[in-house]
Amino acid sequence: MTPVAANPIHLDSTADNWAGDLGRKYKAREESAALTVHAAHERTERMIAMAQARWVRIVEAIKSLVAGYNAGAGYEVLKVVEERSAPNGPVVRIGSGGEEGPFLSATLEGLLICVCTRDGQGVLERTECSLRPDRSDDRTAAYLIQNWLTRIQPG
């Protein structure tokens, strides 16, 4: 009897076609998955670019709202500082009363706006919100700061 390893395996054409078909299906799925990942990456890049463009308009709206607040108070209660090239993303900070006073800091991180606040009583809060396509830039600015503005008065 001849050892099994020494006998060459001869496949009929049906088995050969079956294996080839499986290999071609594997390749097609692999290529499709790669295209899907690439398309998702490109979509994310486009959305981040749109978010950065919107951020500029949101910050301008925040500045306008703060100017209105200061005009209503009759003097500069709040100051706005913007840092466009911060390591974690562009930041806008609104402050009152120096280092220990109330502040709001908002950072654009991809498609999220991360907000950190300290109110007039010294209470810190952190929240985040999505850049929603159904909310205008002006409404987004108001959404970000309105609640904080009502709580910056010392208690």
Side-chain angles (χ1 to χ4, degrees):
M1 188 163 154
T2 309
V4 173
N7 287 336
I9 298 175
H10 297 286
L11 298 175
D12 65 28
S13 62
T14 306
D16 223 10
N17 288 340
W18 173 79
D21 285 346
L22 280 180
R24 284 185 287 282
K25 287 178 184 176
Y26 173 84
K27 180 181 178 183
R29 283 192 305 274
E30 190 174 60
E31 289 173 348
S32 176
L35 288 173
T36 300
V37 167
H38 182 71
H41 178 73
E42 284 184 342
R43 181 176 182 267
T44 299
E45 291 294 319
R46 279 193 310 275
M47 291 177 70
I48 288 172
M50 287 189 320
Q52 290 169 341
R54 285 190 67 192
W55 179 252
V56 172
R57 295 186 302 268
I58 290 166
V59 171
E60 289 306 313
I62 287 171
K63 289 176 180 178
S64 178
L65 291 167
V66 168
Y69 185 91
N70 288 339
Y75 67 101
E76 188 178 62
V77 178
L78 302 174
K79 293 184 182 203
V80 179
V81 177
E82 179 183 7
E83 188 177 343
R84 292 186 181 192
S85 58
N88 292 333
V91 178
V92 63
R93 187 175 195 282
I94 308 167
S96 172
E99 289 294 317
E100 299 301 316
F103 73 87
L104 179 144
S105 177
T107 306
L108 178 64
E109 293 184 11
L111 302 175
L112 288 176
I113 300 173
C114 300
V115 181
C116 180
T117 63
R118 180 173 52 221
D119 66 17
Q121 286 71 45
V123 177
L124 288 171
E125 185 176 299
R126 294 182 193 279
T127 59
E128 58 183 40
C129 73
S130 309
L131 266 177
R132 292 179 26 187
D134 64 332
R135 185 184 290 147
S136 72
D137 299 335
D138 291 341
R139 288 185 59 217
T140 298
Y143 178 81
L144 292 173
I145 72 170
Q146 188 172 23
N147 185 45
W148 174 75
L149 283 175
T150 65
R151 299 181 296 115
I152 63 172
Q153 306 281 327

